[in-house]
Amino acid sequence: MVFSSNVFLFLFLPIFLIVYYLLPFKGRSAWILIGSYALYAWWRLDFLWLLVAITGVAYLYGLILEKQPDGARRRWTLISAIVLNLGALAYFKYANFGIDSFNAVTQSFGLQPFSWTPILLPIGLSFFIFHAISYIVDVYRREEKATHNPLDFAAFIALFPHLIAGPVLKYNLLADQFRSRTHTMEKFSYGATRFMTGFAKKVLIADSIAPLVTATFNQPNPTMADAWLGALAYTLQLYFDFSGYSDMAIGLAAMMGFKFPENFNHPYISRSITEFWRRWHMSLSSWLREYLYISLGGNRYGRARTYLNLWLTMVLGGLWHGANWTFVLWGVWHGSILAVERRMKEASLWKPSPAWLTIPGTMILVIIGWVMFRADSVPDAFRMYRGMLGLNGVSLSDTLAWQVKPSVLVSMVLGGLLVYLAPYWGSRVGDVGSRLLRPRLAVGATVVLLPLFVLAIMKLSAQSYTPFLYFQF
């Protein structure tokens, strides 16, 4: 069950919210847990045990680490907790990738491939394991006290707005909110408005562009026009799909009285890749910085080690997105650019340049990376790169032209306008959202959004199942 589905909109969400508000505050964590488990089990009941197990392991390790004195034994306790979590992630997410890569090597030498039954990846696994690891590490660092409330902790891990595809949250961001939070009509109105905004972004823009993206990346020999059009389309599709999901998650949380941090801050107006990663998927960037980059040594061991740590963080971050060499190379691309940019700034070689030059330049680097990110394989990505260089011709091919429908072009133009005009409406979506808490503005926003929301529901009912892109990660 996904947020952009009729069964969620017209069955799960109304029932959940009605019961939620009928219950006293003390009973709401239990209802959140029941509802979240029910939503997860709707996909696969047999994988619910994994979510429960990860939650239980994190809770118990937190209690153990809190009581243990600092020293080698406590450090080994932390290592064992991380190994258990990463071991589950490695088995379910990377076992197929490892076996396939091994078989590719053995077959190149004429040997028989290893027989293997593919493993199904549980949805949301990467996210709730990251939530568990961050909690365990925070307790180890004594930055967070271990919770003695298993119900609130289980509800935090399973909280359905962020369970499947983030944002990646730390327990201390929500711990106090589980103990006490306010529920007001203004907050609920803001949440509903934010949810409708994300829903419209996903269904009306991202889903409208999706067929063109699929057709382009399936082209055997895309021309320059084909490749660049498809790459631009995917750049918009991914942003509106994922930021739309984040808007919906933040909105759902607000309807329950929670405040989630923002996950996007107009990333496509960045003037460098370093700035891009301060604006794109900010919760993941923060997690990688706090729990991977710093753990690798950060900038504490000299320049060369700092560049290596930056590079490794992005490579591992790329691998976290999926078990494919395309994600590894995407991480290599961004990690290399981040290291180069840091070196240039430290050597005073980075000179301020006008926005009309740096924003397009950064976007070209981002788009090149997105091609590798989207491609099914490395050869497929390089097929697109050949097209972008014009090695297969320049003009739009007849096989793709029929996919360039007026509705697709309107969605792309609208998406482009929103990307580059939205920053002028407010320095951050959250700033705009805080203004929507004012009753008059909230009513005005609802009047504008409601027809779009209804239109999106009509479009959703007419189209096939379209899950969020980040569900695969």
Side-chain angles (χ1 to χ4, degrees):
M1 189 192 308
V2 298
F3 299 163
S4 57
S5 65
N6 287 325
V7 68
F8 179 84
L9 292 173
F10 300 114
L11 180 64
F12 176 86
L13 187 58
I15 293 175
F16 176 85
L17 289 176
I18 290 171
V19 175
Y20 177 84
Y21 277 97
L22 288 175
L23 288 171
F25 185 82
K26 290 184 177 180
R28 288 175 178 172
S29 288
W31 180 242
I32 288 172
L33 185 62
I34 292 170
S36 299
Y37 280 174
L39 185 136
Y40 193 85
W42 187 279
W43 171 70
R44 284 288 296 260
L45 178 61
D46 54 339
F47 276 120
L48 183 59
W49 69 268
L50 183 61
L51 173 59
V52 174
I54 293 295
T55 303
V57 166
Y59 177 77
L60 292 175
Y61 265 102
L63 297 177
I64 294 170
L65 287 167
E66 183 182 48
K67 294 178 180 179
Q68 283 185 326
D70 294 339
R73 185 176 179 182
R74 190 165 186 264
R75 193 178 308 113
W76 279 109
T77 301
L78 171 69
I79 292 172
S80 66
I82 293 175
V83 167
L84 279 174
N85 279 277
L86 292 184
L89 185 64
Y91 175 74
F92 285 102
K93 190 166 185 174
Y94 302 108
N96 294 335
F97 174 60
I99 294 298
D100 289 343
S101 298
F102 175 77
N103 284 340
V105 173
T106 57
Q107 287 179 295
S108 67
F109 288 100
L111 301 175
Q112 285 292 109
F114 180 76
S115 180
W116 176 259
T117 301
I119 298 170
L120 182 64
L121 172 64
I123 60 172
L125 178 67
S126 300
F127 289 91
F128 60 75
I129 280 184
F130 268 26
H131 296 145
I133 289 176
S134 66
Y135 168 74
I136 292 169
V137 173
D138 284 350
V139 172
Y140 172 79
R141 292 173 176 173
R142 303 201 187 280
E143 296 175 358
E144 173 71 24
K145 291 184 178 180
T147 179
H148 292 258
N149 189 328
L151 180 60
D152 281 356
F153 182 72
F156 158 73
I157 296 290
L159 187 62
F160 70 84
H162 79 129
L163 173 63
I164 306 300
V168 182
L169 302 180
K170 298 174 63 175
Y171 179 67
N172 60 16
L173 291 174
L174 295 184
D176 290 338
Q177 297 183 55
F178 270 102
R179 287 189 286 268
S180 174
R181 59 186 180 277
T182 59
H183 300 82
T184 64
M185 183 56 69
E186 288 78 15
K187 186 179 287 188
F188 189 92
S189 176
Y190 165 64
T193 301
R194 193 68 183 269
F195 180 86
M196 289 190 291
T197 300
F199 187 84
K201 286 166 68 175
K202 157 67 176 170
V203 177
L204 297 181
I205 298 179
D207 288 355
S208 297
I209 299 172
L212 175 61
V213 175
T214 301
T216 303
F217 278 82
N218 287 340
Q219 287 277 85
N221 295 296
T223 65
M224 178 181 282
D226 293 347
W228 278 103
L229 181 63
L232 287 169
Y234 181 66
T235 298
L236 292 171
Q237 181 202 7
L238 182 62
Y239 173 67
F240 282 99
D241 188 282
F242 191 24
S243 68
Y245 176 90
S246 295
D247 287 338
M248 295 167 77
I250 291 169
L252 288 168
M255 285 189 268
M256 289 184 275
F258 293 101
K259 183 179 180 181
F260 279 9
E262 295 296 329
N263 210 22
F264 289 87
N265 184 17
H266 311 300
Y268 289 164
I269 64 166
S270 302
R271 300 189 180 192
S272 66
I273 294 298
T274 302
E275 182 182 352
F276 174 81
W277 280 105
R278 295 192 187 113
R279 294 174 174 269
W280 177 274
H281 202 174
M282 295 186 291
S283 63
L284 176 64
S285 300
S286 176
W287 197 99
L288 291 174
R289 181 176 61 253
E290 291 188 42
Y291 301 105
L292 185 54
Y293 175 71
I294 291 176
S295 298
L296 289 171
N299 59 359
R300 300 189 299 272
Y301 301 106
R303 289 180 176 177
R305 178 67 179 272
T306 298
Y307 305 148
L308 177 62
N309 290 340
L310 272 174
W311 188 82
L312 284 174
T313 297
M314 290 309 303
V315 172
L316 293 173
L319 186 61
W320 172 85
H321 280 84
N324 194 320
W325 288 109
T326 56
F327 296 115
V328 175
L329 292 180
W330 175 76
V332 168
W333 174 253
H334 277 272
S336 299
I337 297 173
L338 286 173
V340 169
E341 287 184 354
R342 188 179 183 102
R343 174 56 184 158
M344 290 178 66
K345 289 177 181 178
E346 291 177 347
S348 299
L349 298 174
W350 189 273
K351 305 297 182 183
S353 300
W356 62 264
L357 182 63
T358 52
I359 292 177
T362 300
M363 278 308 302
I364 289 174
L365 296 176
V366 170
I367 291 170
I368 290 172
W370 284 147
V371 170
M372 182 63 71
F373 190 86
R374 168 60 176 79
D376 293 329
S377 66
V378 175
D380 288 344
F382 279 95
R383 191 180 68 243
M384 281 287 289
Y385 291 141
R386 285 177 54 86
M388 295 169 78
L389 292 172
L391 299 180
N392 300 321
V394 176
S395 61
L396 191 67
S397 66
D398 294 336
T399 54
L400 190 66
W402 71 276
Q403 287 281 4
V404 188
K405 301 174 182 177
S407 60
V408 175
L409 292 178
V410 168
S411 297
M412 290 185 65
V413 171
L414 177 61
L417 290 174
L418 289 174
V419 163
Y420 291 106
L421 292 181
Y424 296 100
W425 300 336
S427 61
R428 197 185 195 129
V429 176
D431 295 337
V432 176
S434 65
R435 296 170 193 167
L436 291 177
L437 288 172
R438 303 172 189 173
R440 289 184 180 179
L441 290 178
V443 172
T446 303
V447 169
V448 173
L449 278 172
L450 195 57
L452 293 176
F453 183 61
V454 172
L455 179 62
I457 290 175
M458 294 170 61
K459 185 177 184 298
L460 175 71
S461 300
Q463 69 187 20
S464 59
Y465 173 70
T466 54
F468 290 91
L469 295 177
Y470 255 65
F471 277 17
Q472 63 183 299
F473 308 136

